[in-house]
Coordinates of all heavy atoms in Angstrom, one line a residue:
A876 N 2.0 5.2 0.6 CA 1.9 6.0 1.8 C 0.7 7.0 1.8 O 0.2 7.4 2.8 CB 3.2 6.8 2.0
G896 N -13.8 9.7 -8.1 CA -12.6 9.0 -8.6 C -11.5 8.8 -7.6 O -10.3 8.7 -8.0
R900 N -9.7 2.7 0.7 CA -10.2 1.4 1.3 C -11.0 1.7 2.5 O -10.8 2.8 3.1 CB -9.1 0.4 1.5 CG -8.1 0.8 2.5 CD -6.9 -0.3 2.5 NE -6.0 0.0 3.5 CZ -6.0 -0.5 4.8 NH1 -6.9 -1.4 5.1 NH2 -5.1 -0.2 5.7
E925 N -13.3 12.9 14.1 CA -11.8 12.8 14.4 C -11.6 11.5 15.2 O -10.6 10.8 14.9 CB -11.3 14.0 15.2 CG -9.8 13.9 15.4 CD -9.2 15.2 16.0 OE1 -9.9 16.2 16.2 OE2 -8.0 15.1 16.4
A928 N -11.5 8.7 12.7 CA -10.3 8.7 11.8 C -9.1 8.2 12.7 O -8.3 7.4 12.2 CB -10.0 10.1 11.3
T935 N -4.5 0.0 11.4 CA -3.9 -0.4 10.2 C -2.8 0.6 9.8 O -2.6 1.6 10.4 CB -5.0 -0.5 9.1 OG1 -4.4 -1.1 7.9 CG2 -5.5 0.9 8.7
G937 N -1.1 3.1 6.8 CA -1.6 4.1 5.9 C -1.2 5.5 6.4 O -0.7 5.6 7.5
C949 N -33.0 19.4 14.5 CA -34.4 20.0 14.4 C -34.9 20.5 15.7 O -35.0 19.7 16.7 CB -35.3 18.9 13.8 SG -37.0 19.6 13.4
D962 N -39.8 5.4 16.7 CA -38.8 6.5 16.7 C -38.7 7.1 15.3 O -38.6 8.3 15.2 CB -37.5 6.0 17.2 CG -36.5 7.1 17.7 OD1 -37.0 8.1 18.1 OD2 -35.3 6.9 17.6
L967 N -39.8 11.6 11.6 CA -40.4 12.1 10.4 C -41.6 13.1 10.6 O -41.7 14.0 9.8 CB -40.8 10.9 9.4 CG -39.6 10.1 8.9 CD1 -40.0 8.8 8.3 CD2 -38.7 11.0 7.9
P974 N -38.2 23.4 8.5 CA -36.8 23.3 8.1 C -36.0 22.7 9.2 O -36.3 22.8 10.3 CB -36.4 24.8 7.8 CG -37.3 25.6 8.6 CD -38.6 24.8 8.7
H975 N -35.0 22.0 8.8 CA -34.0 21.4 9.7 C -32.6 21.5 9.1 O -32.5 21.9 8.0 CB -34.4 20.0 10.1 CG -34.4 19.0 8.9 ND1 -35.5 18.9 8.1 CD2 -33.4 18.2 8.5 CE1 -35.2 18.0 7.2 NE2 -34.0 17.6 7.4
E976 N -31.6 21.2 9.9 CA -30.2 21.2 9.4 C -29.6 19.8 9.4 O -29.9 19.0 10.3 CB -29.4 22.1 10.3 CG -29.3 23.5 9.9 CD -28.2 24.3 10.6 OE1 -28.0 24.1 11.8 OE2 -27.5 25.0 9.9
T979 N -22.7 17.6 9.0 CA -21.7 16.5 8.9 C -20.3 17.1 9.3 O -19.9 18.1 8.8 CB -21.6 16.0 7.5 OG1 -22.8 15.4 7.1 CG2 -20.5 14.9 7.4
G980 N -19.7 16.4 10.3 CA -18.4 16.7 10.6 C -17.5 15.7 9.9 O -17.8 14.5 9.8
T998 N -26.2 22.1 6.1 CA -27.1 22.2 5.0 C -28.5 22.3 5.6 O -28.9 21.5 6.4 CB -27.0 21.0 4.0 OG1 -25.7 20.9 3.5 CG2 -28.0 21.2 2.9
L1049 N -21.7 13.0 3.3 CA -20.3 13.4 3.2 C -20.2 14.6 2.3 O -20.5 14.5 1.1 CB -19.4 12.3 2.6 CG -17.9 12.5 2.7 CD1 -17.4 12.5 4.2 CD2 -17.1 11.4 1.9
E1053 N -16.0 19.8 -0.1 CA -15.1 20.2 0.9 C -14.1 19.1 1.3 O -12.9 19.4 1.5 CB -15.9 20.6 2.2 CG -16.7 21.8 2.1 CD -18.1 21.6 1.4 OE1 -18.4 20.5 0.9 OE2 -18.9 22.6 1.3
K1057 N -9.9 19.5 0.9 CA -9.0 19.3 2.0 C -8.0 18.1 1.7 O -6.9 18.2 2.1 CB -9.8 19.0 3.3 CG -10.7 20.1 3.8 CD -10.0 21.4 3.9 CE -10.8 22.5 4.4 NZ -11.4 23.4 3.4
R1059 N -6.8 17.5 -1.1 CA -5.8 18.1 -2.0 C -4.8 18.9 -1.2 O -3.6 18.9 -1.4 CB -6.5 18.9 -3.1 CG -7.2 18.1 -4.2 CD -7.5 18.9 -5.4 NE -8.5 18.2 -6.3 CZ -8.2 17.1 -7.0 NH1 -7.0 16.5 -6.9 NH2 -9.1 16.5 -7.7

Side-chain angles (χ1 to χ4, degrees):
R900 64 188 184 94
E925 185 172 354
T935 190
C949 184
D962 198 30
L967 292 167
H975 61 276
E976 270 193 318
T979 300
T998 302
L1049 191 68
E1053 292 82 355
K1057 297 305 183 264
R1059 288 196 194 290

